Amino acid sequence: MPIELTFLGHSGFLIKDTGTGKAVAVDPFLTGNPLAVHQPGDIACDYVALTHGHEDHFGDTLAIAKANNATVIGAYELCQYIATEGGHDNIDPGNPGGRIATDFGYVAMTPAFHSSSYQGKYMGQPMGLVFSIGGVKLYHCGDTGLFSDMKLIGAVAKPDIAMIPCGDRFTMGTDLATMAAEMIRPKFAVPVHYKTFPVLNQSIDGFEPDGVEVKEMQPGEVWSYGG
Ligand code: NI
Ligand code: MN
């Protein structure tokens, strides 16, 4: 059975295993996202996984998690905040290097070179996330600069699909994202974190990795993969 990968805009995705019906929302930033086509109430999921605490990733996590009684996976401090300040105690915290077993497979956490705060409060380590779901491996890089251990992460995770930020300023631009894709070596690279705001790259021009197929998704687009 394939997975259904829905692009929520910016860096957000809904990943559903059509075999088990289990779904995980990643960085569900909808309210205030000018390109989003979904409302928080549209999102049905069992888990919410967060790369870091910034508002353009944390987004509608609390509303979605509470409405679905979803388990929130994220950095230790971010999960503590969600439980103590956010009023949602269904949390599953971790840190880079670790792996969390889930109903659909697992989420492994990797380093990312960035920062992580929410409303000015420290939210622990920013992370990339590797998902094993429905026989498919996905590596969401989170917000990050280029780092050479992306080659190591690619070798360990062997991802089918990598979501790679390319908007520049807060993350890699398309030139460095190209180098990242060539180090990670997924079958497909999905560019993220561009066009949402005027300060970001408005296109993926220059994102041309050798040996990796670029799959540009539009917000709301659903991609059935694998199976
Ligand atoms: Ni960020
Ligand atoms: Mn961001």
Side-chain angles (χ1 to χ4, degrees):
M1 298 285 276
I3 62 161
E4 284 179 2
L5 183 65
T6 304
F7 185 40
L8 303 178
H10 200 52
S11 288
F13 291 88
L14 183 68
I15 313 171
K16 183 173 183 177
D17 175 6
T18 61
T20 63
K22 297 294 180 182
V24 53
V26 189
D27 288 1
F29 167 50
L30 304 174
T31 304
N33 177 347
L35 301 184
V37 298
H38 295 85
Q39 305 291 323
D42 299 335
I43 306 300
C45 61
D46 304 282
Y47 295 86
V48 178
L50 295 174
T51 62
H52 64 298
H54 288 156
E55 281 77 358
D56 59 320
H57 300 258
F58 189 102
D60 299 288
T61 290
L62 289 176
I64 292 169
K66 288 176 182 177
N68 292 276
N69 191 28
T71 303
V72 179
I73 293 173
Y76 174 76
E77 290 82 357
L78 180 52
C79 283
Q80 289 301 119
Y81 174 87
I82 285 166
T84 59
E85 306 290 324
H88 182 73
D89 58 10
N90 186 356
I91 55 170
D92 213 353
N95 253 327
R99 181 192 278 197
I100 294 172
T102 64
D103 291 341
F104 57 78
Y106 64 77
V107 179
M109 295 153 287
T110 69
F113 280 86
H114 195 62
S115 59
S116 181
S117 59
Y118 183 69
Q119 297 180 348
K121 293 179 180 150
Y122 171 69
M123 288 293 148
Q125 286 291 309
M127 306 193 295
L129 300 171
V130 174
F131 299 89
S132 178
I133 177 168
V136 178
K137 299 272 210 61
L138 307 98
Y139 169 31
H140 191 306
C141 297
D143 279 5
T144 187
L146 181 68
F147 57 101
S148 59
D149 275 359
M150 287 178 151
K151 185 168 183 176
L152 179 63
I153 295 167
V156 171
K158 298 182 178 65
D160 300 284
I161 299 167
M163 297 85 146
I164 303 176
C166 66
D168 217 337
R169 183 179 292 267
F170 300 109
T171 69
M172 300 178 284
T174 54
D175 50 351
L176 298 183
T178 295
M179 296 177 70
E182 290 173 354
M183 283 197 281
I184 298 163
R185 305 209 65 76
K187 296 187 184 85
F188 294 90
V190 179
V192 298
H193 213 274
Y194 67 98
K195 200 158 80 176
T196 319
F197 304 111
V199 296
L200 302 179
N201 284 340
Q202 297 299 297
S203 80
I204 59 165
D205 290 353
F207 185 51
E208 296 170 348
D210 283 336
V212 179
E213 186 164 338
V214 173
K215 170 86 173 174
E216 186 176 17
M217 296 183 73
Q218 302 304 321
E221 184 176 341
V222 182
W223 181 20
S224 287
Y225 181 87

